[in-house]
Structure formats: C-alpha cells, structure tokens
Amino acid sequence: MEEIEKEEKTTQSAKKGGKWIKRLVWASWILFLGGFLSIYFIVYAVSTDLGGLFGGLPGYKSLENPKNDLSSEIYTADGTLMGKYYRTNRTNVSYEELSPNIKNALLDTEDDSFFEHSGISFKDLIRVGIKSVILRQGAGGGSTLSQQLAKNLYSTRGDEFEGSLVQSLGNNKMRRGVDLVIVKIKEWIIAVQLERRFTKEEIFAMYLNTVPYGSNAFGIQVAAKTFFNKDQKDLNVQEAATLVGVINAPTRYSPRRHPERSKNKRNMVLGQMYVYGDLTKAEFDSLKQLPIELQFKVDSHNEGLATYFRSAIRPWLMRWAKDNDIDLWEDGIKIYTTIDGRMQEYAEAALEEHMQKLQAKFDKHWEGRNPWIDEKGKEIPNFIEKQTERLPYYRSLVKKYGKGADSVNYYINLKKPMEVFSWEGEIDTLMSTVDSLKYYKQFLQAGFMAMNPHNGQIKAWVGGINYEHFKYDHVMQGKRQPGSTFKPLVYGTAIENGYSPCYEVRDIPYTFQLPKGSTKPTWTPQNADGKFTGENMSLRQAMAKSVNSITAFVMDKVGPRQVVDFANRLGVAIPESQAVPSLALGIADVSVFEMTGAYGTFVNKGVYTTPNFVTRIEDKFGNTIQEFPAQTKEAISEETAYLMVYMLRGASEEAGGTAVGLSWELKENNEIGGKTGTTQNASDGWFMGVTKDLVCGTWVGGDSRSIHFRNWYDGQGARTARPIFDKFMRDVYNDESLGYTKGAFERPSKPISMELDCDVLKSRVYKVKEEIVEDGDTTVIEKTVKPELEDLDSDDIF
C-alpha cells in the first residue's frame, strides 16, 4: 500500500515537473520573442529615423528598385546570345521560367512555408528559440527566403549599415554577438518591407537570381550554364538538387572542387524532396546513387561567337552608356546587333580553314629562318629585343629595377609554365617572355568583314585568328596599306569626271615630276611583274589586271586631291597630307572596316551607308532605350556607282582579271566583282569582294610589316586573302535559310550616258573640236575622226 502511495506521489510530482518545464519553456520563449520584438521596433525606429546608433536601412527608392547587378547581354540579329559585359556574371529569369525541379528543391530545403508567411516564419523562430537558445542544440538560423534575399540585395552584414553602437564595442565576442542580433533584426525588417512591395513569385525569383554559386557564377541561370552547360529550365532533378545544395556555402559544397561533399549535400536535398512528397522512395533511392556529371565551363570573354566583334565595339558601347547614364557592366541592358550568327560561324570557319593551311605553308617557307626581314631580304638584327621593349611587362620591370639592370634581363628570360596557341590545339610548355614573343610573331594574322551594302548592317566580323591569344582586332582597330584595293577609288574619281570604262591607255612607263625637296626628282611606278606590255587597255581591263602604270596615268589626269576627296566621301579617311601621286598604289593606311563601307557605296547606287553594328538596345525589363537606323549620305551619282560596279566585275570577267580564279561554283549564274591588293614586299594581302547583296573585305599579313613571304607571288592577296572570301560566299549561298541568292546587280533607274560595249565604241566615228590660229585669229572647226581612244580627251568628245 505504501509503495502504491509512493508511486502515485512520484507520478504527481512528475506531472507537476512536466508542467513546470512546459511553463518554463513557454516563459523563456515569450521572453525571447518579446525581447526580439522589442529590439525589432527599437532598431526599426532608430534606423529609419537617425540611422546612427544601429546604422541605416535601405531607403524607399532602394526598396522599390533593389540594386541587382546584371550582366549586359549582346545578341546576334537572329537571337543568339553571343556574350556578356559584366563585373558580376548574372542573368535574371522570371518565376514562370524557373524549372519545377529548382522550385521544389529550394522550397523543400530552405523554406517550406515560404508561400504562407509574411517574411518571417514564427514556426522556424520557435524551433530556433527552443533548440538553439534553450536546449543549446544547432538548429540553423531560421531565415526565410525573404530574409536571405534581404542579405543578398543589401549586404546587411557589411560596413555600410553598421551603426555607432557596434563600432563602440571594439573587436570582441560581445561586438560580434550584438552585431549579429542587430543584423538579423534588420533582415527581418527588410524582409517584411520586400514582402509588402513584391509578390511571392517575384521574391522567389529575385532570390534565385542573386545567389552566388562560385566560379564567377551568380544566379541560377548562369550557375546552370557554368556547371552543367544547359539552361536552368532543362536541369534534371539531381542537377537542380546539386545547385540548391551549393547555395549556403558555394566554396564548401562546390561540385567541382569538392565532388564527394557536394554529392552528400545533394543527397540531403533529395531527401528533403522525398520527405515533402516531391520524390517517391524509389526515385530517391535511385537518384542518390548517381554521380554528379559536370560539364563545367566558366563564361569567358575569350570564348563564344564573334569575340573580336564584341571587344571592338565595347568602346562605342561604353561611350553610349556614359551618354545615357547607364552602367554597361551592371545595368543588364540587352544589345541587339546586326551580326547574323550563322554567317558569323561561316566566316570564322572560312578564316580558320584557310589560315591554318596558309600558316603551314608560311612555316615551311621560312623553315630554319626567322621571317622578319628588311627590304633587301635580310633578317632584321635585334628585332625581337626591340619588340620586347614595347611590352608592358618589360616596362614594369624597367620601372622597378632600372633600365639595363640584370634583374630585367633575368625576369624577361625566365622560363615559366604557359599555355600557347597552335593550329593543332593549345600547348602546355615552358617559355620565357622573350621566347613566347618570338613564337607568336611568326603567326600570320587576318581580318574579315561582311556587310549588307543596302542598309550598312555588318553580318560577320572576324578580327584575328584566335582572340584568347591575339587580342588585336584587324577589322577596325588595325590599319594597313591597302595596295591595289585602293585603285577603284582612283578609277572612281576618273569615272566621276567623265572618263569611260572603255577609255584606252597604253601600258608604258609613266613618270611623275616630284616637288622640290623630295628624295628623288621623279617617280616611275613599276608593274607587279616589272614589265610594260606597250598594249592599249581599257580602264576596265587595266583595273581588272591591276596595272600600275595605267593607274598612275589616271591619277595624273584627275589629281591626288580629287582622289582624296572621293575617298573621304566614301568613308575612307585619307588626310590631305597624303594627296601625293603614290597614293594611286594604296600607300595610305586604312582599315577593313573603312574599305568595306567604301565598296558598299558602289553597290548601293552611290549612297554611302555607315557600317552599322547595333540595331537597338533594351533595358533589363525589355523596354527599348534606343534604336539605331542606318546613317546614309549621297556620296556619288547613281551612274558613277553602277559604272564602278561594272569596273569591279571586270576582275572576274576580263581575261587576266585578279578575281578570275574565284570558284566556278561562285561565279556560275552570278555577277560578282572584286579587287585584290598586295603591298610592297607582300607585307599585306587584300581582297575586296562585291555581290548584289553582300560586300566583303579581307586582309591577311604579319603582325609586323616586316613579317611576310620572301616573294610577292606567295604573298599576293589572290593567294592569301581571296580564298577566305571564296569559302565564305559559297557557304552563304549554300545555306538557303539565309536568303542570299546569286544574280545580277541592280541597274540604274535611268539609262547611263555612255556605251559599255567597248567593241561597239571602237567602231564609232567621233566629232572633235579643233582650234586653228592664223594671224592672231582663232577659228574652231569640227571634224570627224576615228582615233585611238587614248588620244581623246573626254571634254572634247561630243
């Protein structure tokens, strides 16, 4: 009986003890929550008023438009993402675009009651209060997605929002504790404010768009591309779980650096998805066994489509952004370019295919010798040493150790591991700075641009052989002598002044008298082969065959200043100081960009259209900020333009023309014009090609003018540059989806004023004026003649 009574007393004591513990827990929780709420209102009141004691909070405007650094994206005309400009590599996606796998994994792991709470989860706070504060057990921070978003958006744990209270506590545990409490409460406040201003779906997407994943990937879209090389909407369950597992500790759980740790974290996320019913037991058991299969690729400015183009237009974009109060690197604008993705790929492939073969030929040509030679064909002494002195690294060493110091020579010749370019693939090797410079100087470079002449839109742009290793752009940045590709501007000036394509000139030496003070009194240009045939040639034939003597004759007739004016009207910037006779042979430096625009004027009926690379720019919300229509001006008459097209066609139609060697596949049922160009010693090889819908410019040469083939034959533009145009155009015509077809150039709207059939012209009889002077009196008579065309002055024929 006594035992029973003892047992009842014990049971009653236990019940009383249990009630006491429950009361203690509730009392502690009420005190804990009450204390936090009190501090919450104090922090909120003080922060929003003075912002001194506890630090400030984001203002109204900042909350309405939270700062979220976004990559600016650049697109092709057909909608392909080419690349980005960024400080932080981030691309936003909307809630509707998010993968269901991502949504489920995040909710199940981070905040299962997200769509029920108002920014603060009291259920999670109770869990944290009991386990962490009372029972001293780890229970996580209890932060909702809204609170985590507040931390990501406003850097609440940085110095910007730190108040005088925390600063006065020094650097100790107490400071860190107080700071953590204030920061947490601020995140509560911001979370509640965000919940008032945005929908749940917007907050959810904003959170995923702001999360750092490591490897310079910010936001779920870039993370999916970086780790799995796919769009986030295409992530499977285990991939989505892997990325959600990375969220709170991107370094610790990086699937690239710590694959086993990342796999364990992924499986924990999969377990949560099973707990919340988003996976079956069988699915969970199966998926957790799978390895993490990465396709890791960090987004780089050195890779992707049209790398040279993206780099070359960056200065223009930066100026535009500055004028429009936009940060190119953070404001997430979308730049829509004129580049056609398919044509860009064809251009890059054509250049790569040809340049790889040409480089092999060049290497064999110079086997055992260095390719930098002077005008006499001898190797330039100390060439590499002089080139080395131009390097920023060399200059930094000189600044640090002094010119001529042994340390400069030591470090510039110190071998170190590096990855160098080759046409067979990148090579891991040991090289010094001097070694690598010598190695890279032996590569031939190239530039190619294709443009629609009717609207100025640039459809393809390749500025070099490999952007990662050769940053210099040879389309717009680089300028070299155009050689004979400049001749059409000389002949165009003559056509504008009334000369006919059929006007005949004899191929004989032509000598210019040079101004006093020149190194030589006269200049007699030589033909490429060093010979003069003595034959009569029409201007069309002479330009087609690129005969220097006849071009010099034409230059003398029209004058260098008129040629400079003609070139300037066609967008080729030639200074007045270069208005000299030798300009006829292309001695003024120009760019592929300029020359392509100039030739486009001939095809576009005399209207010069500035080459255009951007059609419109949108803000991050898709609103158009500015559109960029074609900029045009009437440069020459429609008749002059058409006669020049006819002249250019001569290169592929006249016997001995420099474009006759184009593929039959390209010329069949097609009017096509062109002009080769080769500078002295074959330092630069050019080819300009024109069709009814596309104008293309191509340049090939060494990085320095002294690097070239030893003979003119191998280095001429017909062999170094023309094949790139040929391959590109064949690929364009073969792709019917592009819409470019063969055919004839459009004829002028009015009949032209001169006969283009030179045989008919020769058979005609002309009336000419002749002045007879007798005893001081002048009499003008008319007589009928049938002379050689070269003997006629165009002003006398009527």
Side-chain angles (χ1 to χ4, degrees), residues 366-492:
W366 282 105
E367 191 171 8
R369 295 180 59 184
N370 291 320
W372 34 88
I373 55 176
D374 59 22
E375 293 181 357
K376 296 180 180 179
K378 295 182 179 180
E379 181 177 336
I380 300 173
N382 302 318
F383 175 81
I384 292 298
E385 287 78 2
K386 291 176 182 177
Q387 295 293 317
T388 301
E389 291 175 0
R390 298 178 181 179
L391 297 175
Y393 178 57
Y394 177 86
R395 291 172 181 171
S396 68
L397 290 174
V398 169
K399 186 176 181 180
K400 184 175 182 179
Y401 298 107
K403 191 171 180 63
D406 290 340
S407 294
V408 174
N409 185 62
Y410 171 79
Y411 284 111
I412 210 76
N413 286 284
L414 178 66
K415 292 187 183 297
K416 47 200 169 188
M418 64 175 64
E419 194 174 62
V420 298
F421 169 80
S422 84
W423 280 113
E424 286 71 41
E426 292 182 332
I427 301 172
D428 290 317
T429 185
L430 285 173
M431 278 190 182
S432 68
T433 301
V434 173
D435 293 336
S436 64
L437 182 64
K438 183 177 180 180
Y439 175 78
Y440 279 133
K441 280 291 181 182
Q442 301 187 50
F443 281 93
L444 291 174
Q445 296 295 332
F448 176 85
M449 174 176 144
M451 183 189 81
N452 182 327
H454 307 298
N455 56 22
Q457 292 189 358
I458 298 169
K459 310 313 294 182
W461 177 313
V462 191
I465 59 174
N466 182 279
Y467 181 74
E468 182 174 358
H469 295 279
F470 305 94
K471 293 288 193 288
Y472 193 78
D473 171 62
H474 292 284
V475 170
M476 186 162 61
Q477 186 179 7
K479 290 193 174 189
R480 298 290 279 264
Q481 291 181 350
S484 294
T485 56
F486 190 80
K487 288 177 180 176
L489 305 186
V490 179
Y491 285 99

Side-chain angles (χ1 to χ4, degrees), residues 75-82 305 336-344 459 738:
Y75 290 87
T76 63
D78 47 325
T80 301
L81 177 63
M82 286 194 290
L305 201 62
Y336 292 91
T337 72
T338 60
I339 296 292
D340 185 287
R342 297 156 296 179
M343 294 173 72
Q344 179 67 27
K459 310 313 294 182
L738 291 172

Side-chain angles (χ1 to χ4, degrees), residues 430-729:
L430 285 173
M431 278 190 182
S432 68
T433 301
V434 173
D435 293 336
S436 64
L437 182 64
K438 183 177 180 180
Y439 175 78
Y440 279 133
K441 280 291 181 182
Q442 301 187 50
F443 281 93
L444 291 174
Q445 296 295 332
F448 176 85
M449 174 176 144
M451 183 189 81
N452 182 327
H454 307 298
N455 56 22
Q457 292 189 358
I458 298 169
K459 310 313 294 182
W461 177 313
V462 191
I465 59 174
N466 182 279
Y467 181 74
E468 182 174 358
H469 295 279
F470 305 94
K471 293 288 193 288
Y472 193 78
D473 171 62
H474 292 284
V475 170
M476 186 162 61
Q477 186 179 7
K479 290 193 174 189
R480 298 290 279 264
Q481 291 181 350
S484 294
T485 56
F486 190 80
K487 288 177 180 176
L489 305 186
V490 179
Y491 285 99
T493 307
I495 295 294
E496 189 173 59
N497 281 273
Y499 284 83
S500 163
C502 293
Y503 185 88
E504 288 191 346
V505 180
R506 187 168 283 120
D507 176 21
I508 57 176
Y510 193 86
T511 300
F512 287 90
Q513 298 296 321
L514 298 181
K516 290 182 179 180
S518 302
T519 55
K520 295 180 180 180
T522 62
W523 175 61
T524 305
Q526 300 295 307
N527 286 331
D529 58 2
K531 300 176 182 178
F532 300 94
T533 65
E535 298 175 356
N536 282 347
M537 294 184 196
S538 69
L539 296 188
R540 187 177 196 248
Q541 290 172 326
M543 195 177 90
K545 296 179 180 181
S546 203
V547 181
N548 290 346
S549 62
I550 295 177
T551 310
F553 170 86
V554 173
M555 172 64 91
D556 183 56
K557 287 294 183 182
V558 299
R561 290 191 180 278
Q562 282 205 67
V563 173
V564 168
D565 174 67
F566 188 88
N568 288 341
R569 280 185 277 139
L570 270 62
V572 181
I574 306 293
E576 282 291 330
S577 61
Q578 292 186 310
V580 295
S582 57
L583 181 63
L585 305 187
I587 55 96
D589 285 351
V590 298
S591 68
V592 172
F593 184 88
E594 289 175 299
M595 291 298 285
T596 307
Y599 275 64
T601 308
F602 300 141
V603 183
N604 197 31
K605 299 182 177 182
V607 176
Y608 172 73
T609 304
T610 304
N612 182 24
F613 36 75
V614 174
T615 55
R616 75 181 188 281
I617 297 178
E618 296 177 353
D619 64 18
K620 62 183 177 182
F621 303 110
N623 303 311
T624 298
I625 302 173
Q626 187 173 346
E627 294 181 336
F628 301 88
Q631 296 182 354
T632 63
K633 66 175 182 180
E634 291 188 17
I636 57 178
S637 71
E638 184 179 1
E639 178 172 298
T640 297
Y642 178 73
L643 291 175
M644 284 310 302
V645 167
Y646 176 70
M647 293 276 286
L648 288 168
R649 282 169 48 201
S652 64
E653 296 172 359
E654 296 280 357
T658 58
V660 168
L662 287 170
S663 303
W664 173 249
E665 177 189 346
L666 198 58
K667 294 189 294 182
E668 185 181 19
N669 300 319
N670 194 27
E671 288 187 350
I672 190 166
K675 187 72 196 76
T676 57
T678 313
T679 57
Q680 191 174 11
N681 295 328
S683 294
D684 306 277
W686 290 73
F687 185 77
M688 303 299 302
V690 298
T691 67
K692 67 183 181 68
D693 296 317
L694 279 176
V695 175
C696 304
T698 313
W699 168 87
V700 173
D703 194 40
S704 300
R705 297 176 200 262
S706 56
I707 299 172
H708 50 78
F709 284 96
R710 288 197 300 273
N711 57 68
W712 189 90
Y713 179 84
D714 287 327
Q716 63 179 295
R719 285 176 171 77
T720 62
R722 192 178 68 193
I724 297 174
F725 168 80
D726 195 305
K727 175 70 165 60
F728 171 76
M729 284 306 305

Side-chain angles (χ1 to χ4, degrees), residues 118-285:
S118 298
I120 302 172
S121 173
F122 288 97
K123 177 188 72 175
D124 288 333
L125 284 177
I126 292 172
R127 172 178 57 81
V128 171
I130 293 174
K131 290 190 174 182
S132 297
V133 179
I134 298 174
L135 302 180
R136 302 288 183 179
Q137 298 174 359
S143 293
T144 64
L145 292 184
S146 304
Q147 290 170 255
Q148 293 180 50
L149 174 61
K151 180 176 69 174
N152 293 343
L153 283 179
Y154 299 105
S155 302
T156 52
R157 306 193 181 194
D159 295 338
E160 182 182 355
F161 295 115
E162 194 175 79
S164 58
L165 174 63
V166 171
Q167 293 172 354
S168 66
L169 296 175
N171 188 15
N172 50 45
K173 287 185 178 180
M174 182 177 180
R175 170 178 177 156
R176 291 194 290 273
V178 172
D179 189 28
L180 181 61
V181 170
I182 293 174
V183 163
K184 276 288 186 184
I185 292 173
K186 285 186 177 182
E187 288 171 5
W188 284 11
I189 296 168
I190 298 170
V192 171
Q193 296 294 327
L194 290 172
E195 291 271 352
R196 291 177 179 176
R197 287 168 171 79
F198 300 98
T199 66
K200 282 288 187 180
E201 289 77 12
E202 289 172 333
I203 291 173
F204 193 91
M206 286 167 68
Y207 173 72
L208 280 170
N209 288 329
T210 58
V211 172
Y213 285 87
S215 301
N216 199 31
F218 292 81
I220 189 63
Q221 176 66 10
V222 176
K225 285 285 186 183
T226 300
F227 291 100
F228 298 106
N229 194 28
K230 59 174 65 175
D231 194 286
Q232 59 80 29
K233 67 177 182 295
D234 299 320
L235 293 171
N236 58 37
V237 175
Q238 63 269 27
E239 291 166 344
T242 300
L243 294 182
V244 168
V246 169
I247 283 176
N248 288 324
T251 301
R252 178 175 176 78
Y253 296 116
S254 169
R256 182 167 178 262
R257 296 182 179 181
H258 307 291
E260 194 59 34
R261 194 183 292 165
S262 179
K263 181 181 176 182
N264 292 336
K265 184 68 173 179
R266 178 204 68 180
N267 289 348
M268 189 206 80
V269 176
L270 292 173
Q272 288 295 104
M273 295 178 74
Y274 163 61
V275 169
Y276 285 96
D278 291 316
L279 289 179
T280 65
K281 182 68 165 63
E283 288 171 332
F284 170 61
D285 290 338

Side-chain angles (χ1 to χ4, degrees), residues 1-11:
M1 192 67 176
E2 289 180 3
E3 290 179 4
I4 293 173
E5 288 178 356
K6 283 183 180 181
E7 201 172 309
E8 286 179 353
K9 288 180 181 179
T10 303
T11 301

